[in-house]
Amino acid sequence: MSTAVNAETLCLLAAGSFFMTGLLTGWWKYRCIATSAEAAAPVYVDIAHRAALMYAFSAMLIREFVPYSPLSAAGTSLAVAAPLLFFALAIATYVLHGILRDTDNQMRNPHRLGNGTLPGFAIHGFMWLLALAEIGGFAVLLWGFLRSIA
């Protein structure tokens, strides 16, 4: 099995995992709404649900660009894995905040995590890495597609 196929398989695995997470967090969201006096779910339960569903389809979109990659099979796998990893980390962060119910805005100072706080450089450093991985990984694949139609 070639690494390009592995990149496609990784996309499918991520899409399936993210979609199932979206379905499960949808049930969690419903249970929160059904048992809440305000008929509302915690902010990060809602965000986790929506993000997981969006990232499931994003993983499938990335998969569609894999055949156009200008990189080696290993490079293609890296270009695919980088955004998928950060999609997963973002979802996990939202789920964690949903479980802890510690904030309604993870970007607001102080950066809450449970009963503690995180330093701003950790949050903003993570966001810079996320942007680099997600934008950079997909940009390589998009560039390959654009080269194929030129």
Side-chain angles (χ1 to χ4, degrees), residues 68 70-71 138-148:
Y68 302 101
L71 303 176
F138 184 70
V140 168
L141 301 175
L142 180 60
W143 175 59
F145 171 73
L146 293 173
R147 282 187 22 184
S148 79

Side-chain angles (χ1 to χ4, degrees), residues 32-142:
C32 289
I33 292 169
T35 59
S36 165
E38 299 82 29
V43 171
Y44 275 96
V45 172
D46 183 49
I47 291 171
H49 169 63
R50 292 178 191 205
L53 293 175
M54 287 190 300
Y55 285 148
F57 289 94
S58 297
M60 292 303 294
L61 179 67
I62 289 171
R63 181 178 181 261
E64 291 301 308
F65 283 84
V66 167
Y68 302 101
S69 176
L71 303 176
S72 67
T76 299
S77 291
L78 183 59
V80 164
L84 295 178
L85 171 64
F86 278 90
F87 292 168
L89 291 172
I91 294 167
T93 299
Y94 305 148
V95 167
L96 181 61
H97 284 304
I99 291 168
L100 297 174
R101 298 182 185 198
D102 57 356
T103 185
D104 62 0
N105 184 341
Q106 67 181 3
M107 293 296 153
R108 184 183 317 126
N109 283 321
H111 303 290
R112 310 266 329 137
L113 184 59
N115 294 327
T117 60
L118 296 171
F121 74 85
I123 299 298
H124 296 292
F126 177 82
M127 293 306 295
W128 276 95
L129 290 173
L130 178 144
L132 180 65
E134 291 180 359
I135 295 167
F138 184 70
V140 168
L141 301 175
L142 180 60

